[in-house]
Amino acid sequence: MKKEQTMIWNTSMKQHILYCAILIIVGCANKAELGDNLTSISSEYTIMNKPPGLAISVIKDGEVFWSYTHGYSDIAGKTTFDSKSIMNIGSVSKTITTTAILQLWERGKLKLDTDIQQYVGFKVNNPNFKNTPITIEHLLTHTSSISDSRAYSDSYQCGPPKVSLHDWLRNYFTPEGSYFDKTANFHPWEPGKDYKYSNVAYGLLGLIVEKVSAQPFDVYCENNILTPLKMNNSGWFRKDIDTLQQAKQYVFSAELEKKNPLAYKLVSKKIDNFHELCTYSFYNYPDGLFKTSIENLSRFMLAMMQGGKYGDQKILQTSTVDKALSLQLKNNNIQGLGWKKINHENFSLWGHSGRDPGVRTHMYFHLETNIGIILFQNNDEGSTLKLIEKIYESIRKHEKQ
């Protein structure tokens, strides 16, 4: 190569390297600016709502893009709340239960449009419509006509469940059962003809998994969902997790006194402006008692964002994920198969929310932009869903600049 050509090549190469360096610097600066904006949004929320503990993670293109933590998982112990803090995740648990059902459906072990009585081992129907079967699809889409009666809220208690899932549900649905109530346990409309959110329906889904797989529901989930995804500090019961990392759950003292009768029987002690709750459970656990951390749950969310695959493990077929993340009901723009869609003015996100005494959780993602957001808060007050929407909207606005 001639000297002139070498000089030209070297100059061109230096310019290319400089250009790449500038792009990296600008990209880092833009990311830092966006991060500062997201932190500002989240800080504004914490100042206004004063949650005991809050953690948020944004997952973008398969990795953590931004995160935020505030406060304590244990106020008395001054333990920091972060992405490794473990919580009951409330109704976000329903996405785990849905996955278990859809796995068995993929394997031909059950049918979504079949009367569930053939799976659960006892009679389940709306006594107002005895000849209309309730199907798994009805349970997944909240069209079963099954209502959450007082027996459901009464089952919340300190400590582990004292009644098995099977026994509690049998007593809820059979006329001779101790929790049966023809009026309170069922809606006055035919299965499949209307829409009303049902927690008890997801207990039935968990029981169906037990009966079809011939193993306890929690064991099935561990073998077929948690272990493949390396969710090693997650599970349905305290025995499955590192309890030293489990966050305490709190209610504001003022809220407890005003309007939270369910929390009264769960109170452990008063700390500052909060009442700390006991470690509680309920019998219908597949609807909302899953325990995990943001760090662990992000692996499950990524699997759903990536067509059922995380790393070299596939928990669902891509076609099944597509089916779950699609609208299932006429004149309903939110309900998929177990999954829900939230519709903002400028975008829509798939996922689920959870709320229980001392619990507020969200897991939502946008498939086209490959962005997912998980939020855990260890009390149940505040507009956390609006916070999720603000975070996503801020990211999209920044990317369009």
Side-chain angles (χ1 to χ4, degrees):
M1 182 181 293
K2 292 181 180 180
K3 185 176 181 181
E4 293 84 357
Q5 290 176 318
T6 302
M7 291 177 64
I8 293 170
W9 186 87
N10 285 338
T11 301
S12 176
M13 191 62 174
K14 288 177 181 178
Q15 290 174 337
H16 178 72
I17 292 172
L18 178 61
Y19 177 70
C20 290
I22 291 171
L23 287 179
I24 292 171
I25 293 170
V26 171
C28 289
N30 286 339
K31 184 175 180 181
E33 180 185 351
L34 174 58
D36 289 344
N37 186 38
L38 298 180
T39 299
S40 177
I41 291 170
S42 302
S43 296
E44 182 181 343
Y45 170 85
T46 58
I47 291 169
M48 180 178 297
N49 295 280
K50 298 177 176 59
L54 173 70
I56 311 168
S57 283
V58 173
I59 310 296
K60 188 175 187 298
D61 299 325
E63 59 185 33
V64 177
F65 175 77
W66 170 86
S67 61
Y68 176 86
T69 61
H70 163 83
Y72 300 111
S73 64
D74 180 350
I75 296 174
K78 302 299 182 186
T79 307
T80 302
F81 197 102
D82 59 26
S83 63
K84 293 185 179 180
S85 299
I86 299 170
M87 278 182 54
N88 294 353
I89 60 172
S91 287
V92 177
S93 305
K94 290 179 172 67
T95 62
I96 304 291
T97 301
T98 296
T99 300
I101 282 286
L102 292 179
Q103 285 180 336
L104 294 172
W105 172 71
E106 281 185 347
R107 298 166 192 168
K109 301 294 185 180
L110 53 79
K111 295 181 179 180
L112 301 183
D113 59 355
T114 300
D115 192 332
I116 62 171
Q117 290 184 160
Q118 76 174 66
Y119 301 117
V120 299
F122 52 83
K123 192 172 185 178
V124 181
N125 63 20
N126 185 328
N128 303 300
F129 303 93
K130 293 183 178 180
N131 296 323
T132 303
I134 295 174
T135 68
I136 291 175
E137 189 171 29
H138 289 151
L139 300 178
L140 287 169
T141 58
H142 299 286
T143 57
S144 66
S145 78
I146 296 169
S147 177
D148 299 333
S149 70
R150 182 172 176 175
Y152 173 76
S153 58
D154 284 349
S155 72
Y156 280 67
Q157 60 183 342
C158 295
K162 298 178 178 65
V163 177
S164 72
L165 177 65
H166 173 274
D167 288 351
W168 188 79
L169 288 168
R170 180 173 55 78
N171 276 287
Y172 194 90
F173 286 105
T174 56
E176 66 276 10
S178 53
Y179 310 123
F180 182 81
D181 187 316
K182 180 179 179 180
T183 302
N185 292 7
F186 305 93
H187 294 292
W189 41 267
E190 187 177 4
K193 300 298 184 181
D194 208 339
Y195 177 84
K196 190 72 172 180
Y197 194 85
S198 173
N199 289 298
V200 176
Y202 274 73
L204 283 169
L205 288 169
L207 183 60
I208 290 169
V209 171
E210 285 196 347
K211 297 296 185 179
V212 172
S213 68
Q215 56 189 305
F217 175 68
D218 62 307
V219 174
Y220 176 90
C221 291
E222 180 179 357
N223 293 337
N224 293 274
I225 302 172
L226 309 186
T227 297
L229 296 179
K230 295 183 172 60
M231 295 173 68
N232 301 322
N233 211 358
S234 302
W236 291 99
F237 302 113
R238 293 193 80 209
K239 66 180 177 58
D240 304 315
I241 63 170
D242 178 358
T243 55
L244 294 177
Q245 291 185 285
Q246 186 173 15
K248 306 289 187 182
Q249 297 165 168
Y250 301 92
V251 294
F252 280 113
S253 298
E255 293 301 322
L256 183 67
E257 292 161 7
K258 286 193 304 183
K259 59 178 182 181
N260 205 336
L262 175 59
Y264 270 106
K265 63 179 179 179
L266 306 177
V267 167
S268 173
K269 57 186 174 183
K270 189 177 187 302
I271 301 177
D272 298 335
N273 296 321
F274 296 97
H275 276 84
E276 181 183 308
L277 304 181
C278 65
T279 303
Y280 63 83
S281 68
F282 42 84
Y283 308 140
N284 195 63
Y285 74 90
D287 88 85
L289 210 57
F290 191 70
K291 298 164 176 56
T292 190
S293 64
I294 287 179
E295 190 178 77
N296 268 205
L297 189 61
S298 64
R299 299 176 184 183
F300 174 70
M301 182 177 72
L302 278 169
M304 294 301 295
M305 292 171 69
Q306 296 168 167
K309 186 176 182 182
Y310 177 80
D312 60 355
Q313 297 293 319
K314 198 162 183 66
I315 59 168
L316 287 174
Q317 297 301 314
T318 301
S319 58
T320 304
V321 173
D322 291 342
K323 181 179 178 68
L325 304 179
S326 61
L327 297 176
Q328 299 293 311
L329 306 174
K330 186 178 180 181
N331 300 322
N332 181 304
N333 66 348
I334 63 171
Q335 187 62 56
L337 270 183
W339 292 79
K340 287 185 170 290
K341 189 178 187 182
I342 57 171
N343 300 297
H344 188 269
E345 182 181 350
N346 300 315
F347 57 84
S348 296
L349 303 174
W350 278 101
H352 215 292
S353 297
R355 187 176 187 180
D356 251 331
V359 172
R360 185 67 77 87
T361 55
H362 302 289
M363 175 181 67
Y364 285 101
F365 51 84
H366 192 280
L367 292 171
E368 287 73 22
T369 58
N370 210 20
I371 296 171
I373 306 172
I374 301 176
L375 178 152
F376 282 13
Q377 178 179 288
N378 59 343
N379 85 312
D380 60 353
E381 298 298 320
S383 302
T384 45
L385 185 55
K386 288 188 180 298
L387 177 57
I388 290 282
E389 292 175 341
K390 283 182 179 180
I391 288 171
Y392 182 78
E393 188 169 33
S394 181
I395 295 171
R396 294 299 295 139
K397 282 183 178 178
H398 191 273
E399 290 184 340
K400 291 177 181 178
Q401 289 178 353

